[in-house]
Amino acid sequence: MSHGPRTLPVDWTLYDLYKRIEMPTVPLISEMMKNGMRVNRDHMRELIIKYQDRMAEHTVGVEDLMGKSGLNLSSVPTTRGILFDDLRLPTGKRSKITQDASTDDETLKDLMGKLAPDSLEYKVTKHIQEYRRYDKLVDSYLTPFVLLADESSR
């Protein structure tokens, strides 16, 4: 028995996909929206603490490498200053609103692809990228689940 990804029949149209796959899931999704989804708030709280510890480790890593203290890696101006002013890395794309050098994940990946893995610049950029990964998990997913779950953990 194959457990690999299933493919749709070649002759299916988008309507077939909608009718045969998406529409049958509507009652299930509706029921989930009505009843909520049970979450383990205690486990979520443990993950928040664990990930905040990792964020602190990455902050200390940047501070040690840069010889600075009190850095806020959640601050775009701080990370922009580290990457483009202190390390003098080349700026890539610019923010559409402020026209400042972008520090988004795509930019960090592009920068790291151009740097030697054992270089100071690579290590600092990697710490910032990892910090942001944990920050996103904590702020966008874990904390809202804990705060929004009711007494029955839904």
Side-chain angles (χ1 to χ4, degrees), residues 61-102:
V62 172
E63 290 174 343
D64 289 349
L65 289 167
M66 297 301 298
K68 295 184 174 195
S69 63
L71 294 176
N72 176 5
L73 298 185
S74 294
S75 164
V76 173
T78 298
T79 56
R80 185 181 297 119
I82 292 167
L83 296 170
F84 306 120
D85 296 335
D86 298 341
L87 296 176
R88 302 203 184 283
L89 293 173
T91 58
K93 65 183 179 178
R94 300 241 170 220
S95 164
K96 292 177 184 172
I97 297 171
T98 65
Q99 293 303 306
D100 290 326
S102 176

Side-chain angles (χ1 to χ4, degrees), residues 3-138:
H3 294 290
R6 292 178 38 188
T7 58
L8 297 174
V10 177
D11 61 338
W12 273 30
T13 65
L14 286 177
Y15 180 75
D16 292 324
L17 180 67
Y18 168 76
K19 184 178 172 186
R20 297 178 186 185
I21 305 273
E22 291 183 16
M23 282 306 295
T25 65
V26 169
L28 171 66
I29 293 170
S30 175
E31 191 70 18
M32 288 174 66
M33 290 173 69
K34 183 175 84 177
N35 294 329
M37 180 180 78
R38 189 175 308 276
V39 295
N40 184 334
R41 289 190 298 179
D42 291 335
H43 182 65
M44 297 276 182
R45 286 186 190 102
E46 290 170 9
L47 287 175
I48 290 170
I49 292 167
K50 178 180 178 179
Y51 293 167
Q52 286 173 334
D53 288 345
R54 296 229 175 112
M55 290 163 60
E57 291 169 9
H58 289 293
T59 299
V60 169
V62 172
E63 290 174 343
D64 289 349
L65 289 167
M66 297 301 298
K68 295 184 174 195
S69 63
L71 294 176
N72 176 5
L73 298 185
S74 294
S75 164
V76 173
T78 298
T79 56
R80 185 181 297 119
I82 292 167
L83 296 170
F84 306 120
D85 296 335
D86 298 341
L87 296 176
R88 302 203 184 283
L89 293 173
T91 58
K93 65 183 179 178
R94 300 241 170 220
S95 164
K96 292 177 184 172
I97 297 171
T98 65
Q99 293 303 306
D100 290 326
S102 176
T103 63
D104 67 6
D105 193 57
E106 181 182 335
T107 300
L108 297 181
K109 285 179 187 174
D110 288 346
L111 285 171
M112 289 176 20
K114 298 172 184 173
L115 300 169
D118 60 342
S119 69
L120 168 72
E121 294 85 355
Y122 181 93
K123 291 174 185 175
V124 169
T125 305
K126 183 69 174 171
H127 276 299
I128 292 171
Q129 185 184 47
E130 288 298 310
Y131 174 93
R132 286 188 173 172
R133 190 177 110 208
Y134 289 112
D135 189 41
K136 177 76 171 179
L137 289 170
V138 169

